[in-house]
Amino acid sequence: MREAIHPSYGPVVFRDRAADYAFLTRSTMTSEKTIEWEDGHTHPVVDVEISDVSHPFYTGTARVLDTAGRVERFERRYGKKG
């Protein structure tokens, strides 16, 4: 394996600004901004617009379209005949 071609891989805090939620993980992403984490260490922080905490699919607040009406309309047009 060639030396010195891979980016550094270390702890990074990802912060969801919409939900006021942050989590610590390891990544190759970096940032000039830093944050002091619960463990007392300072880590780079990357702000994201959406995460599993604020995404409608994961929170269960996604709007469901009128699927029953669509099925009935499909059956009327192309459904069983006779």
Side-chain angles (χ1 to χ4, degrees):
M1 187 155 81
R2 291 176 36 197
E3 296 292 325
I5 63 167
H6 301 287
S8 62
Y9 182 73
V12 177
V13 174
F14 286 92
R15 180 172 50 188
D16 183 351
R17 302 290 285 189
D20 195 28
Y21 174 74
F23 58 94
L24 177 66
T25 187
R26 295 178 55 87
S27 176
T28 57
M29 291 186 73
T30 60
S31 175
E32 296 294 323
K33 294 188 261 180
T34 60
I35 190 171
E36 186 170 333
W37 193 244
E38 300 160 353
D39 61 2
H41 293 95
T42 302
H43 301 290
V45 63
V46 176
D47 290 328
V48 294
E49 296 195 21
I50 197 160
S51 70
D52 63 329
V53 176
S54 60
H55 194 280
F57 178 78
Y58 296 108
T59 60
T61 59
R63 296 186 320 208
V64 177
L65 298 175
D66 183 19
T67 56
R70 288 182 176 195
V71 170
E72 291 168 0
R73 204 167 39 235
F74 178 83
E75 287 179 351
R76 261 192 318 228
R77 287 185 189 165
Y78 308 107
K80 299 176 187 176
K81 296 194 179 194

